[in-house]
Amino acid sequence: MTDAIPSQFGHASVSTRHSKSILTKSSGFINSFDYTLNPYAGCTFSCTYCYAAFFARTDTQHADWGQWVEVKVNALELLRKKRKRPLTGKAIYMSSVTDPYQPIERRLELTREILLELITYHQPRLVIQTRGTLILRDIDILKQFEHLQVNVTVTTDDEDIRKVFEPLCPSAEQRLNTVTQLSDAGIQTCITMTPLLPLKQPEQFAHRLKRTGASKFIVQGFHSGKTRFAAGTGDAAKQVAQSLKWDASAYTKTVNVLKSVLPDLHEGQQGFAPDI
């Protein structure tokens, strides 16, 4: 990492962690991948519906989700140990329970260093999941991967709705512009509407998605169920959705409109299977 790790970054507290492993065998919703790779624990984008809060290690971390991030300071060291048995051809999902391009990444460049390690010594089949625009910084590296897809999450066309559910995230338009720039650079992109939130103009939104140049689109409702291998959406987000009358019927009706413009729209878990 190129800079000292601060104890506070923006609204969030920052701490460090020495992990036993940087690669985790995939299971549950993304079991079609070989591994997940999470450079950080926690995420400061503070989405109210975030299922990943379920995986917080303590009750305090769970309660304060969105207000803290842990930096896996030995992540690069652990990955370097894999050079003797390269990850070539392995399907890796980055990241499953954090965002690799959350704000602290601008300061630390940990994700960038991991990408450099992967491109130089491994060449895996890599899917990067983010809702951050910072990924544009790393286009120079991303273009070097032979098998890569960038998933950018865009959940609504309504900024008022976005601010309720995703108060600290980039706007939907900023994220769509990010997809366009990635696509224009020759990088395979996918827009994940996961979870889909209420839309002002579903048909117009679908056409806007197409104009980004994305090659794939995935839609899903809120995560349901809480088991060892799956996490559910937070109750606060469900209560807001209920107040907006955003139920299964409204979701299905909206998805049908999207499919009229995006006939190959993937839905749910099967859409996330790596096809790179």
Side-chain angles (χ1 to χ4, degrees):
M1 286 168 281
T2 59
D3 207 342
I5 298 175
S7 60
Q8 190 78 22
F9 194 81
H11 71 282
S13 62
V14 181
S15 59
T16 61
R17 177 201 291 191
H18 281 79
S19 297
K20 293 181 179 179
S21 175
I22 191 58
L23 296 170
T24 302
K25 288 282 188 180
S26 295
S27 61
F29 192 79
I30 50 174
N31 60 11
S32 55
F33 289 80
D34 295 300
Y35 300 104
T36 61
L37 195 165
N38 292 277
Y40 303 98
C43 180
T44 59
F45 276 142
S46 300
C47 301
T48 59
Y49 52 74
C50 186
Y51 70 91
F54 178 72
F55 296 102
R57 293 191 294 174
T58 68
D59 290 341
T60 299
Q61 285 187 337
H62 186 281
D64 294 340
W65 185 262
Q67 307 300 312
W68 58 271
V69 58
E70 290 182 347
V71 183
K72 296 183 180 180
V73 291
N74 62 333
L76 198 57
E77 175 188 348
L78 290 170
L79 200 54
R80 285 170 175 162
K81 291 180 179 180
K82 300 290 183 180
R83 289 180 183 178
K84 292 182 179 179
R85 299 183 66 181
L87 300 163
T88 308
K90 297 295 185 181
I92 298 177
Y93 187 85
M94 185 172 79
S95 299
S96 57
V97 292
T98 190
D99 195 305
Y101 286 100
Q102 62 181 293
I104 191 66
E105 169 61 19
R106 186 179 301 277
R107 174 80 170 265
L108 300 183
E109 298 188 356
L110 176 57
T111 294
R112 182 175 176 85
E113 291 186 358
I114 287 172
L115 290 176
L116 285 169
E117 173 69 16
L118 290 174
I119 193 63
T120 304
Y121 296 98
H122 301 281
Q123 280 286 2
R125 297 160 58 212
L126 181 64
V127 172
I128 301 174
Q129 183 79 50
T130 186
R131 63 193 65 223
T133 59
L134 181 58
I135 192 170
L136 294 174
R137 178 200 65 191
D138 293 339
I139 282 181
D140 61 324
I141 306 174
L142 301 177
K143 290 172 67 173
Q144 298 178 54
F145 280 88
E146 186 175 350
H147 301 286
L148 172 80
Q149 178 174 292
V150 175
N151 293 356
V152 178
T153 301
V154 184
T155 55
T156 182
D157 63 346
D158 188 328
E159 275 300 285
D160 291 332
I161 294 293
R162 196 273 301 168
K163 290 174 183 176
V164 169
F165 286 95
E166 305 170 346
L168 299 179
C169 290
S171 70
E173 191 61 25
Q174 287 175 310
R175 286 181 254 175
L176 291 171
N177 287 336
T178 295
V179 177
T180 298
Q181 292 182 61
L182 291 167
S183 299
D184 288 348
I187 295 166
Q188 181 173 318
T189 57
C190 171
I191 295 175
T192 54
M193 293 162 274
T194 52
L196 182 67
L197 300 175
L199 301 176
K200 275 186 176 180
Q201 299 176 310
E203 185 173 349
Q204 289 89 329
F205 180 62
H207 284 291
R208 177 68 182 93
L209 299 182
K210 287 186 71 173
R211 291 197 299 273
T212 64
S215 59
K216 188 175 180 181
F217 307 92
I218 304 172
V219 68
Q220 181 188 355
F222 284 139
H223 276 264
S224 60
K226 296 181 180 180
T227 69
R228 181 182 175 189
F229 298 110
T233 299
D235 292 337
K238 289 181 179 179
Q239 291 170 7
V240 174
Q242 186 176 10
S243 71
L244 294 169
K245 295 182 170 42
W246 185 242
D247 55 16
S249 175
Y251 168 83
T252 300
K253 182 178 178 181
T254 302
V255 169
N256 288 336
V257 174
L258 295 176
K259 285 182 176 178
S260 70
V261 180
L262 306 168
D264 294 327
L265 179 67
H266 301 268
E267 191 165 7
Q269 182 176 6
Q270 57 86 25
F272 282 87
D275 54 3
I276 49 176

